[in-house]
Amino acid sequence: MLAIKNVTIVMPDHLIPDGVILTENGKITDFGRKLEIPLGAEIIDGGGNYAGPGLIDIHTHGDGDRYFYDDPHTVSDTLLRHGVTTVLPALYFNLNADEYIAAMDVIEDAVGKGKFRNFGGYYMEGPYLNPKFGCNRELNPWKGAIDKADYVPVVDRAAKNAKVWCVAPERENIEEFTAYAKSVNDGAVFSVAHSEATPDEIERLMPYGLRLGTHHTNATGTLESFPECRGVCVDETVQYNDEIYAEIICDFLGIHVHPYLQRLIVKIKGKDRIILISDAFVADGSPIPGCEEAFDINFDRSGEIAGSRMTLDTACANMMMHTGCSLCDVFGYASKNPARLLNMSAKGSVRKGNDADIIIVDHRFNVLKTIIKGEEYHGDQI
């Protein structure tokens, strides 16, 4: 049994001061104010800081220095040290079919050996996105016609582990791909990504399970109905439909999403439909003019923004700074909401019976301790 004491417990809509959380066999067994701690329990003293659910990063390619399929052991360790107790490795459209499969083989080998404890499935950022958008788009091998013979090996290999499939709804025959992916894994979520689709094209895929907007306001097109008149496109469709969650990359300078726009998105979407992501990528380009101080984002060699260098705890701290949101809110954006989107019913909140994935943070969201499945993480498990 593990007891976490001397913490303020962060609930979805309130705080519990002088809190204690009890765990056993990897599950939360009880929590509350000034609970009695059973004799013999291992005790973690939270030092008066805050305890909330472990973070769930549904969209990140690695840790900013390496991809998951380069070294899943090291990337997993980095993320766990930063409070990410569940992660969906994102596999990008610059991989061909054989490379997609090889990446999954490497990752799942690490999972099987106990070297990737926070693996939660895949975020498939491809293969069929709009080739106009995204960093490294010149390396996209999926620009041609959608062909079942090309995608079946990838979809079948990912199978139930593919939690999210990103699609550009304007691609010809994309509905055929979406239907097949759903037939292989009925529980998968579809996301509109790297797209200039119209509302009709996006909403046509909602019955298949399109419920997410990938890195909202980034890598999306703007349609102009008339000269000097702004049309409606992906961003407006994501904001309009209550069923669709909006991902946000929240960097320190607000380059991916301007702080004012972050506040607008919160106002429109509401606190229950926002998901913070890190979208950490690997790139070695120089910052574009005006972005020299952007220490937590990446640039490719053509001068394009190429994701971030963040872990999700940093995105949480940035979101608090840019929007004035509370600890309750930011745990919602980075844990509760992604758990709900992906139907991870045992994660995302401090609740009896849930997985004992808990992090202790200070008031600025610096991660002080990570507990995964009821064990304090020191790195020695891997």
Side-chain angles (χ1 to χ4, degrees):
M1 174 177 285
L2 176 71
I4 304 165
K5 71 172 188 176
N6 192 19
V7 291
T8 294
I9 303 171
V10 182
M11 304 298 288
D13 56 3
H14 64 285
L15 303 173
I16 301 176
D18 302 316
V20 174
I21 303 173
L22 302 179
T23 80
E24 192 169 16
N25 298 323
K27 298 290 184 180
I28 298 171
T29 56
D30 203 359
F31 66 93
R33 192 176 184 201
K34 297 181 178 179
L35 287 183
E36 182 177 346
I37 298 175
L39 291 175
E42 178 186 352
I43 297 174
I44 293 176
D45 189 327
N49 292 290
Y50 298 86
L55 306 182
I56 301 173
D57 196 344
I58 70 169
H59 182 174
T60 187
H61 302 264
D63 61 6
D65 293 316
R66 57 192 68 79
Y67 294 114
F68 281 100
Y69 49 81
D70 291 331
D71 188 352
H73 174 161
T74 299
V75 178
S76 172
D77 176 58
T78 299
L79 299 190
L80 279 165
R81 292 177 187 275
H82 287 270
V84 179
T85 54
T86 303
V87 63
L88 273 57
L91 302 180
Y92 199 47
F93 66 73
N94 60 349
L95 303 176
N96 63 34
D98 289 341
E99 289 168 335
Y100 267 124
I101 292 169
M104 288 184 263
D105 288 344
V106 170
I107 290 169
E108 289 174 39
D109 179 66
V111 174
K113 292 177 179 177
K115 295 182 178 181
F116 193 163
R117 298 186 68 199
N118 50 352
F119 175 71
Y122 297 115
Y123 186 101
M124 303 298 290
E125 196 172 6
Y128 296 118
L129 308 184
N130 189 316
K132 296 180 184 179
F133 298 101
C135 65
N136 294 338
R137 54 185 173 272
E138 69 278 3
L139 304 177
N140 183 355
W142 302 91
K143 296 178 183 178
I146 293 177
D147 188 332
K148 189 172 184 178
D150 294 333
Y151 65 72
V152 162
V154 176
V155 176
D156 286 357
R157 175 62 184 81
K160 299 289 185 183
N161 278 329
K163 304 300 182 184
V164 177
W165 284 101
C166 294
V167 294
E170 69 271 25
R171 290 285 298 261
E172 186 176 1
N173 295 325
I174 194 67
E175 194 166 356
E176 171 191 294
F177 168 81
T178 305
Y180 184 78
K182 185 174 178 62
S183 74
V184 172
N185 181 8
D186 185 57
V189 170
F190 294 90
S191 183
V192 54
H194 295 239
S195 172
E196 56 184 357
T198 65
D200 287 345
E201 289 168 331
I202 296 168
E203 291 170 356
R204 186 186 73 215
L205 298 184
M206 290 179 67
Y208 292 96
L210 192 152
R211 299 176 55 213
L212 183 63
T214 291
H215 41 57
H216 186 49
T217 76
N218 299 136
T220 53
T222 297
L223 301 180
E224 294 184 358
S225 303
F226 301 98
E228 300 182 4
C229 294
R230 192 173 193 275
V232 293
C233 192
V234 177
D235 301 334
E236 291 79 13
T237 310
V238 169
Q239 291 178 167
Y240 181 78
N241 283 278
D242 294 340
E243 298 91 338
I244 300 179
Y245 291 71
E247 293 179 356
I248 294 179
I249 306 171
C250 191
D251 57 73
F252 183 78
L253 294 180
I255 291 173
H256 280 92
V257 187
H258 191 282
Y260 191 92
L261 184 53
Q262 292 176 35
R263 297 190 287 271
L264 178 63
I265 294 167
V266 172
K267 185 173 184 178
I268 293 173
K269 291 303 298 178
K271 296 177 181 180
D272 290 336
R273 288 296 183 270
I274 290 171
I275 293 178
L276 282 176
I277 60 169
S278 64
D279 196 14
F281 203 71
V282 180
D284 58 0
S286 300
I288 59 178
C291 295
E292 291 83 2
E293 297 181 3
F295 62 89
D296 58 358
I297 66 176
N298 274 325
F299 301 87
D300 67 18
R301 294 185 179 182
S302 65
E304 295 273 353
I305 292 175
S308 87
R309 297 185 59 80
M310 296 185 295
T311 45
L312 193 56
D313 54 333
T314 300
C316 290
N318 292 339
M319 190 73 173
M320 293 171 67
M321 174 179 64
H322 291 319
T323 70
C325 69
S326 69
L327 280 169
C328 294
D329 295 335
V330 82
F331 269 110
Y333 302 153
S335 190
K336 181 189 70 174
N337 293 351
R340 186 194 303 113
L341 171 72
L342 299 178
N343 197 30
M344 294 179 172
S345 58
K347 299 183 183 294
S349 62
V350 176
R351 185 174 62 187
K352 292 181 184 180
N354 270 14
D355 291 345
D357 295 344
I358 299 159
I359 63 173
I360 298 175
V361 301
D362 65 15
H363 68 288
R364 293 184 176 179
F365 219 90
N366 295 303
V367 175
L368 307 175
K369 293 183 184 293
T370 300
I371 295 95
I372 180 168
K373 295 180 175 59
E375 297 178 5
E376 183 176 357
Y377 186 75
H378 300 287
D380 53 357
Q381 291 95 330
I382 64 171

